[in-house]
Amino acid sequence: MSGPERGSEDKLLEEALFEVKRVIVGQDRMVERMFTAVLARGHCLLQGVPGVAKTLAAKTLAQVAGGRFARLQFTPDLVPSDITGTRVYRPSQETFSVEPGPVVANFVLADEINRAPAKVQSALLEVMGEQQVTIGGTTIPVPQPFLVLATQNPIESEGVYQLPEAQRDRFLLKVDITTPSESEELAILYRMSVDPPRPRPVLTPDRLIALQRSADEVFVHHAVAEYAVRLVCATRELAGPERRLAHGAGPRATLGLVAAGRALALLRGRAYVLPEDVHDLAHEVVAHRLVLSFDAIADGVTGAEIVDEVLAAVEQPRISPRQAASRPEGEAA
């Protein structure tokens, strides 16, 4: 990747990032993680209470990135064919034709994904994992780039269905969204109450695919790769009988840490991944893949707390002089 080409990519990503921030007040971490998911070709689950701009953020990202956008409002009465598509009989031709569902788009917003039963949630497994849908024996590839942005409300218990482990594992990142501060809420009032800003397209599907390829070229030092492996394997050591984890994170967590680390490094203007990138992404990549034991659930333990313990126990590698210089004074080298 040449210098001028790299500079144009950085400028393009910065422009796209700030176009989203022109609409979304605060939530810098959420916006950064959403772009990370896009660049890493992963899917993103946004979790937060109503009114924290989950749906607005997903729609804004899709508008800025360009391409086809589809919103699926998940409800308890949905059936899988409402999402993937179905076969339609044509009497005039005496044949069946395949009608693809709304999931065949570049950006798919699965709004309130936990409001649909498990059979509907499972309808997304193939398209999220294989980038295709199968309808009556006919396989239809989805357009590229492809991203599922799902939202869910964690405080409701009636009329909702918890996502199964296999479904959660398909999401590269799960981002917990906090409520805005007082100053941010005042900014929301001024910005959104009358004539809210409308995002403009900055990217195109072709440009986004080129950026994804640039993320693939970001250098990962072997020590950083080993750090990602050690973090994930440490969660498996906590799993077992009479422990707080029934199951640790699987190999998708390791792959996700490295892929998301590459994307985050590119987003931060670097052509190499630092251990801090992996550290920063550990909660979003690993926590939702952990299966807590019944005792841990009863004690109120969360996946985020387990990840905190793992991050504290597994030391970050030192791969650059700048990192070594940033050691706390008096700490041994």
Side-chain angles (χ1 to χ4, degrees), residues 220-242:
V220 179
H221 192 277
H222 72 273
V224 176
E226 289 175 357
Y227 178 54
V229 171
R230 284 188 286 119
L231 284 176
V232 175
C233 289
T235 66
R236 299 172 196 165
E237 296 172 0
L238 297 175
E242 300 182 1

Side-chain angles (χ1 to χ4, degrees), residues 122-146:
S122 298
L124 286 174
L125 290 177
E126 180 187 10
V127 70
M128 292 175 67
E130 308 298 331
Q131 312 281 295
Q132 65 183 29
V133 292
T134 303
I135 307 168
T138 301
T139 299
I140 302 173
V142 295
Q144 296 298 322
F146 176 73

Side-chain angles (χ1 to χ4, degrees), residues 53-60 62-63 67-75 78 82-83 101-113 115 124 146-151:
K54 302 186 299 295
T55 302
L56 178 62
K59 291 175 61 177
T60 303
Q63 290 172 315
R68 293 171 56 190
F69 171 72
R71 174 177 176 174
L72 305 176
Q73 187 65 54
F74 278 60
T75 57
L78 278 182
D82 293 332
I83 296 173
V103 76
V104 183
N106 294 109
F107 290 88
V108 177
L109 170 57
D111 213 6
E112 299 285 356
I113 190 173
R115 286 193 175 277
L124 286 174
F146 176 73
L147 174 71
V148 173
L149 286 163
T151 69

Side-chain angles (χ1 to χ4, degrees), residues 145-315:
F146 176 73
L147 174 71
V148 173
L149 286 163
T151 69
Q152 68 176 9
N153 179 357
I155 62 175
E156 290 185 324
S157 58
E158 294 186 8
V160 295
Y161 304 82
Q162 184 177 3
L163 292 180
E165 289 79 10
Q167 182 73 32
R168 296 202 306 267
D169 199 38
R170 290 298 198 281
F171 287 100
L172 173 64
L173 303 174
K174 179 188 176 187
V175 184
D176 291 317
I177 305 172
T178 59
T179 53
S181 64
E182 185 175 331
S183 60
E184 289 173 342
E185 192 140 351
L186 183 62
I188 292 171
L189 175 63
Y190 286 133
R191 187 180 300 184
M192 307 302 292
S193 58
V194 178
D195 193 21
R198 297 172 178 81
R200 60 182 180 83
V202 174
L203 302 172
T204 63
D206 289 339
R207 283 181 175 178
L208 190 50
I209 290 173
L211 289 170
Q212 289 175 339
R213 290 173 179 162
S214 296
D216 294 339
E217 298 173 1
V218 171
F219 174 69
V220 179
H221 192 277
H222 72 273
V224 176
E226 289 175 357
Y227 178 54
V229 171
R230 284 188 286 119
L231 284 176
V232 175
C233 289
T235 66
R236 299 172 196 165
E237 296 172 0
L238 297 175
E242 300 182 1
R243 298 203 176 190
R244 289 180 297 171
L245 285 183
H247 299 283
R252 279 200 185 103
T254 306
L255 295 171
L257 279 174
V258 174
R262 281 189 164 110
L264 186 60
L266 181 67
L267 199 59
R268 291 176 174 178
R270 282 186 272 104
Y272 52 90
V273 179
L274 291 176
E276 285 85 351
D277 298 324
V278 175
H279 181 280
D280 291 348
L281 290 162
H283 282 91
E284 286 89 357
V285 175
V286 178
H288 67 283
R289 292 181 161 92
L290 304 177
V291 181
L292 299 174
S293 66
F294 289 112
D295 290 340
I297 295 174
D299 293 339
V301 177
T302 64
E305 293 173 352
I306 301 293
V307 173
D308 284 334
E309 292 181 15
V310 170
L311 289 173
V314 180
E315 184 181 1

Side-chain angles (χ1 to χ4, degrees), residues 36-90:
T36 300
V38 172
L39 294 174
R41 300 185 184 87
H43 310 291
C44 186
L45 176 61
L46 306 177
Q47 176 171 287
V49 298
V52 290
K54 302 186 299 295
T55 302
L56 178 62
K59 291 175 61 177
T60 303
L61 175 64
Q63 290 172 315
V64 170
R68 293 171 56 190
F69 171 72
R71 174 177 176 174
L72 305 176
Q73 187 65 54
F74 278 60
T75 57
D77 61 344
L78 278 182
V79 295
S81 60
D82 293 332
I83 296 173
T84 59
T86 187
R87 299 175 70 206
V88 177
Y89 182 67
R90 307 292 185 188

